[in-house]
């Protein structure tokens, strides 16, 4: 399942030749999709920090694990973007949470929400023409969907394409399950949130504060 | 089907043209018959795979009704996948496809009779289906690739919740 990041970075760098290398859409499309994914990863790193502060025990450890995964994904994406000759987008100083997080349950739903947004961001990478980046995006989407399922306790029909409304969700059978048991996706499966092929990037899962 | 029929129609028309009329350019002037878009084949394969998956769930539910509570949501999501894929094909929904092998319609044989084995059976099927979809990604145009990737991710999450330790 894991994709070699160095190889992907090389693929991304090769795309620096853009259209000349036969990439329809080429380099700028790749940079745009990867930047959107990076923005979502930045937001996830911030959001998991908030979520972790409201969790304990197994769930806190799960949040810490996912936080680390998003940090690694963030760094990998930044390297890929740099390899393409672009400046990776920076994290915002703070992010506005989609809803108030004051309990463990809120924190679990925040984690699921963050993963939904990251999954959506990687769909933008899936729309790229370069086969390795497309597969990379698909695997990252899958990893985010697995983590979201672990937090939410429920599956979705169209991860990344359609997400439930943000916010504490009605208690379901899954909501009370012991946190995420999704396989740890390593750093090789970053998962930002990127827009569809022709759409503008959606606001990050948690928009920059004051935006 | 519609496209197939159209293509055959074009071919038939080309063949029956009186050759006396070819004083100019002949049959070639009609141009190449329209080819089926590669993504149509991808969508049809995905539709077949979803149909098979639904029949697997139905077979399991018939054999182990006690699993309904945990399987119904997953089955419902497969039906959503199928509907979304079918919407990608511009052809009458009632069209039949006699040219396709009828393997899909066949009910899966050898469905395990115990809950644990039935869940494992579906889990493996979900994993294989997700992997197959990922293999088709590069043959699809961008928006279809996104749909296939999303469905593959959904199936991977199904495999997760069907895993051991996730009681029915």
């Amino acid at each position: 399942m894991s994709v070699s990041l160095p190889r992907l970075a090389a693929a991304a760098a090769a795309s620096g030749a853009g259209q000349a290398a036969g990439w329809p859409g080429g380099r700028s499309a790749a940079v745009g999709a990867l930047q959107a994914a990076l923005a979502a990863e930045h937001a996830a790193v911030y959001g998991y920090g908030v979520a972790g502060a409201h969790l304990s025990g197994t769930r806190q450890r799960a949040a810490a694990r996912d936080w680390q995964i998003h940090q690694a994904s963030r760094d990998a994406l930044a390297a890929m973007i740099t390899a393409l000759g672009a400046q990776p987008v920076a994290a915002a100083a703070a992010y506005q949470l989609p809803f108030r997080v004051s309990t463990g349950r809120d924190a679990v739903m925040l984690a699921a929400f963050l993963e939904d947004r990251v999954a959506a961001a990687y769909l933008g990478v899936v729309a790229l023409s370069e086969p390795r980046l497309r597969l990379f995006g698909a695997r990252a989407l899958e990893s985010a969907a697995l983590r979201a399922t672990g937090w939410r306790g429920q599956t979705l029909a169209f991860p990344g394409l359609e997400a439930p409304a943000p916010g504490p969700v009605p208690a379901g059978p899954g909501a009370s399950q012991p946190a995420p048991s999704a396989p740890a996706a390593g750093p090789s499966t970053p998962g930002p949130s990127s827009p569809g092929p022709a759409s503008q990037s959606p606001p990050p899962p948690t928009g920059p504060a004051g935006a | 089907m519609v496209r197939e029929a159209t293509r055959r129609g074009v071919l038939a028309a080309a063949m029956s043209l009186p050759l006396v009329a070819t004083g100019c350019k002949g049959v070639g002037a009609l141009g190449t018959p329209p080819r089926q878009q590669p993504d149509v084949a991808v969508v049809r394969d995905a539709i077949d795979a979803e149909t098979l998956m639904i029949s697997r769930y139905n077979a399991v539910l018939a054999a182990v009704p006690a699993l309904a509570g945990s399987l119904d949501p997953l089955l419902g999501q497969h039906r959503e996948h199928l509907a979304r894929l079918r919407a990608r094909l511009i052809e009458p929904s009632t069209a039949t496809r006699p040219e396709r092998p009828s393997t899909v319609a066949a009910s899966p044989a050898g469905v395990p009779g115990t809950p644990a084995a039935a869940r494992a059976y579906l889990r493996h099927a979900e994993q294989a289906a997700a992997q197959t979809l990922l293999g088709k990604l590069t043959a699809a145009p961008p928006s279809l690739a996104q749909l296939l990737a999303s469905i593959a991710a959904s199936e991977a999450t199904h495999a997760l919740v069907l895993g051991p330790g996730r009681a029915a």
Side-chain angles (χ1 to χ4, degrees):
Chain A
M1 273 305 276
S2 72
V3 174
S4 150
L5 281 171
R7 257 195 326 111
L8 280 167
S15 80
Q19 287 80 350
W23 283 34
R27 175 185 168 281
S28 66
V31 168
L34 294 172
Q35 292 280 33
L38 176 56
E41 291 288 9
H42 280 312
V45 167
Y46 176 90
Y48 268 101
V50 174
H54 293 277
L55 296 170
S56 60
T58 305
R59 285 180 168 173
Q60 187 180 52
R61 286 191 290 280
R65 179 201 64 203
D66 289 353
W67 180 64
Q68 289 177 328
I69 288 171
H70 287 291
Q71 285 182 309
S73 300
R74 171 200 65 192
D75 296 345
L77 284 166
M80 293 166 72
I81 291 164
T82 300
L84 284 167
Q87 176 73 34
V89 295
Y95 291 84
Q96 184 174 354
L97 299 177
F99 46 84
R100 187 171 173 205
V101 177
S102 54
T103 67
R105 209 166 97 73
D106 296 341
V108 166
M109 295 324 298
L110 174 62
F113 172 82
L114 294 169
E115 298 296 352
D116 289 346
R117 298 304 295 261
V118 163
Y122 277 112
L123 265 190
V125 178
V126 172
L128 297 173
S129 300
E130 209 286 324
R132 281 174 293 185
L133 287 179
R134 182 174 280 195
L135 197 53
F136 165 77
R139 286 178 169 152
L141 161 65
E142 179 183 294
S143 297
L146 289 169
R147 290 189 296 268
T149 299
W151 287 110
R152 185 179 280 121
Q154 294 172 3
T155 60
L156 300 178
F158 299 104
L161 278 180
E162 294 173 3
V169 163
S176 59
Q177 290 189 359
S181 59
S188 60
T189 57
S193 61
S194 68
S199 61
Q200 288 294 320
S201 329
T206 53
Chain B
M1 277 312 294
V2 163
R3 290 179 189 178
E4 281 294 311
T6 302
R7 180 168 68 182
R8 286 193 202 103
V10 169
L11 284 168
M15 291 314 205
S16 63
L17 268 188
L19 289 183
V20 285
T22 64
C24 34
K25 297 177 183 172
V27 171
L30 291 173
T32 310
R35 292 184 52 198
Q36 177 174 284
Q37 295 291 315
D39 51 300
V40 170
V42 172
V43 172
R44 285 185 169 161
D45 286 348
I47 286 173
D48 286 351
E50 282 295 343
T51 305
L52 177 57
M53 188 68 77
I54 288 168
S55 69
R56 285 183 170 131
Y57 271 82
N58 285 331
V60 164
L61 286 168
V64 194
L67 286 176
S70 60
L71 298 189
D72 282 349
L74 307 183
L75 175 56
Q77 289 173 359
H78 280 296
R79 290 187 172 129
E80 290 185 63
H81 297 162
L82 182 58
R84 192 68 62 93
L85 288 164
R86 281 183 171 155
R88 287 262 167 179
L89 284 186
I90 317 265
E91 61 183 9
S93 58
T94 55
T96 54
R97 289 156 43 188
E99 80 277 15
R100 306 276 296 181
S102 60
T103 53
V104 166
S107 193
V111 172
T114 68
R119 288 167 64 87
Y121 165 81
L122 291 176
R123 183 172 74 250
H124 293 139
E126 295 274 12
Q127 287 167 336
Q131 207 54 42
T132 299
L133 281 179
L134 290 185
K136 310 257 184 199
L137 278 192
T138 56
S143 70
L144 177 58
Q146 290 181 310
L147 176 60
L148 298 182
S150 183
I151 291 174
S154 178
E155 291 176 335
T157 64
H158 290 180
L160 174 66
V161 300
L162 287 166
R166 297 259 180 175

